[in-house]
């Protein structure tokens, strides 16, 4: 590991000021940053420890939305009574991720900012546009079975986004609030993570000198039910091969509202708006679920080892819907 400067911030303004003095990485739970520093993939000159920032509260807003502080741990969020009652899909997604020990340390903002699990990104030597811009993508012609996407890819990068929590937030709808030297601003959650395009090293809409302070969840849909289904190689401590976060509400035996987001199959938390539109106004039948799942995966591009993700992504939707309507 290389030498680096370490400093601890007491509030967001101080953290931002430290960053302005010397380009820094923010250290929250450290479950991504420290791993990547140890293998020399991330090389910050300075680490600003944000663990003492007063951003660890979950607070209902007067308009019915819910504000989650950036430093709320994944464990605290998953077990919060309001999350369990109003946003069960989020609690389920969080509890399906990583291990208890990791969830105890991992934070809400850190989860949003986590890096891809592509082995070529992490080996430090292979061509990888995310690690070394313009160096190429070893995964396109290499091993691309498990943590590589079929939706939202380009030949510049095919790494899937690794988060479960973000898939649930994409379905719920949320706003990311950030603070920086130029003030504060909101970013729609669906606009935060960027598709790789020609510039896969640009992963999100956050500017280098900005800090996430909290995330606000949209109001829950009245009378809805929701669930997260994660399909993976083994039952715990494993990333999704395909996952779905689904929220549905019915009226008179017909689906009147639907939110569908996918994980494991796409380069960012993937909101399947086309599938939602096809489900609304329909009866909850297996035939409709299968038709909607096909629509959700339209445009998917398989690579050498991951063509199975197209039917698996469809199954993640069909099975989740079957469970919700059982
Ligand atoms: Fe790098 Fe993305 Fe290619 Fe993996 S898939 S080697 S992260 S550019």
């Amino acid at each position: 590991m290389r030498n680096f400067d370490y400093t601890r911030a007491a509030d967001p303004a101080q953290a931002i000021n430290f960053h302005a003095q010397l380009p820094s990485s923010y250290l929250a739970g450290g479950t991504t940053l420290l791993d990547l520093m140890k293998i020399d993939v991330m090389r910050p000159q300075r680490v600003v420890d944000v663990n003492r920032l007063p951003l660890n509260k979950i607070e209902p807003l007067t308009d019915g939305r819910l504000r989650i502080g950036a430093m709320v741990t994944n464990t605290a969020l998953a077990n919060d009574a309001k999350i369990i009652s109003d946003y069960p899909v989020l609690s389920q997604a969080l509890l399906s991720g990583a291990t208890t020990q990791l969830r105890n340390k991992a934070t809400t903002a850190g989860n949003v900012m986590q890096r891809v699990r592509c082995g070529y990104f992490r080996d430090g030597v292979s061509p990888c546009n995310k690690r070394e811009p313009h160096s190429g993508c070893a995964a396109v012609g290499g091993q691309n079975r498990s943590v590589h996407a079929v939706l939202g890819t380009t030949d510049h990068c095919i790494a899937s986004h690794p988060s479960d929590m973000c898939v649930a937030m994409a379905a719920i709808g949320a706003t990311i609030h950030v603070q920086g030297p130029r003030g504060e601003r909101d970013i729609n959650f669906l606009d935060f993570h960027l598709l790789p395009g020609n510039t896969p090293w640009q992963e999100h809409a956050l500017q280098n000198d900005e800090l996430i302070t909290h995330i606000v969840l949209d109001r829950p849909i009245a009378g809805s039910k929701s669930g997260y289904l994660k399909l993976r190689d083994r039952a715990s401590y494993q990333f999704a091969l395909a996952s779905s976060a689904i929220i549905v509400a019915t009226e008179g035996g017909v689906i009147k509202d639907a939110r569908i987001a996918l994980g494991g199959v796409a380069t960012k938390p993937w909101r399947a708006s086309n599938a939602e539109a096809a489900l609304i106004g329909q009866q909850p039948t297996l035939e409709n679920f299968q038709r909607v799942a096909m629509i959700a995966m339209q445009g998917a591009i398989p690579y050498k080892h991951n063509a199975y993700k197209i039917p698996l992504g469809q199954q993640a939707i069909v099975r989740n819907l079957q469970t919700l309507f059982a």
Side-chain angles (χ1 to χ4, degrees):
M1 191 188 273
R2 298 166 192 261
N3 289 336
F4 59 91
D5 183 74
Y6 170 89
T7 189
R8 183 184 285 156
D11 56 47
Q14 192 178 41
I16 292 161
N17 191 40
F18 283 143
H19 188 289
Q21 295 166 2
L22 186 67
S24 310
S25 289
Y26 292 122
L27 173 67
T31 58
T32 289
L33 177 62
L34 296 186
D35 282 358
L36 292 177
M37 287 175 68
K38 286 176 186 172
I39 59 176
D40 206 26
V41 168
M42 290 185 74
R43 303 167 181 173
Q45 291 177 266
R46 168 180 278 178
V47 168
V48 177
D49 187 338
V50 293
N51 278 285
R52 298 199 180 172
L53 269 50
L55 299 171
N56 61 352
K57 292 198 168 47
I58 302 171
E59 301 165 297
L61 301 180
T62 53
D63 61 6
R65 297 184 299 158
L66 190 69
R67 181 166 61 193
I68 303 162
M71 296 304 299
V72 173
T73 67
N74 287 183
T75 295
L77 189 58
N79 294 309
D80 180 79
K82 198 145 183 66
I83 294 293
I84 292 170
S85 66
D86 293 356
Y87 305 98
V89 65
L90 179 55
S91 179
Q92 292 170 26
L94 284 159
L95 292 175
S96 77
T99 62
T100 304
Q101 290 91 339
L102 284 165
R103 292 193 295 269
N104 288 345
K105 292 299 294 178
T107 63
T108 302
N111 195 316
V112 170
M113 295 295 292
Q114 67 180 287
R115 310 295 303 276
V116 297
R117 307 304 300 192
C118 174
Y120 301 109
F121 170 73
R122 289 173 177 255
D123 71 14
V125 293
S126 298
C128 172
N129 286 321
K130 272 199 191 294
R131 180 168 31 75
E132 293 288 340
H134 307 292
S135 64
C137 173
V140 167
Q143 271 295 333
N144 47 43
R145 175 188 168 273
S146 58
V147 291
H148 296 95
V150 292
L151 289 167
T153 59
T154 65
D155 281 353
H156 298 287
C157 181
I158 60 172
S160 57
H161 193 272
S163 172
D164 297 295
M165 181 195 84
C166 291
V167 181
M169 288 188 175
I172 292 165
T175 303
I176 297 181
H177 191 81
V178 308
Q179 190 173 331
R182 295 165 300 284
E184 302 182 24
R185 67 185 179 114
D186 287 329
I187 304 171
N188 184 312
F189 192 88
L190 296 178
D191 297 331
F192 186 84
H193 298 98
L194 304 180
L195 293 170
N198 297 327
T199 55
W201 50 91
Q202 291 173 2
E203 297 179 337
H204 45 71
L206 193 72
Q207 299 296 311
N208 272 344
D209 52 4
E210 290 179 318
L211 175 75
I212 296 174
T213 56
H214 53 264
I215 296 176
V216 178
L217 299 182
D218 287 358
R219 278 189 298 274
I221 298 170
S224 64
K225 46 191 173 183
S226 68
Y228 187 72
L229 178 64
K230 180 175 181 176
L231 306 176
R232 45 189 160 173
D233 280 327
R234 64 180 181 217
S236 71
Y237 198 24
Q238 188 60 276
F239 293 91
L241 299 172
S243 70
S244 70
I246 301 183
I247 306 168
V248 284
T250 54
E251 193 171 78
V254 168
I255 296 166
K256 68 167 183 178
D257 205 340
R259 309 280 174 84
I260 301 174
L262 297 170
V265 295
T267 51
K268 61 178 278 184
W270 192 265
R271 181 81 174 261
S273 306
N274 52 351
E276 295 170 2
L279 191 58
I280 292 170
Q282 304 299 316
Q283 293 184 332
T285 63
L286 177 59
E287 291 71 28
N288 281 331
F289 299 162
Q290 290 170 333
R291 181 177 57 81
V292 160
M294 299 267 289
I295 292 170
M297 297 303 294
Q298 277 174 356
I301 297 172
Y303 286 81
K304 186 173 181 184
H305 305 113
N306 73 353
Y308 74 95
K309 286 199 174 191
I310 298 175
L312 196 72
Q314 293 167 350
Q315 267 309 104
I317 294 172
V318 171
R319 279 180 47 192
N320 198 347
L321 282 166
Q322 283 182 298
T323 302
L324 288 172
F325 286 101

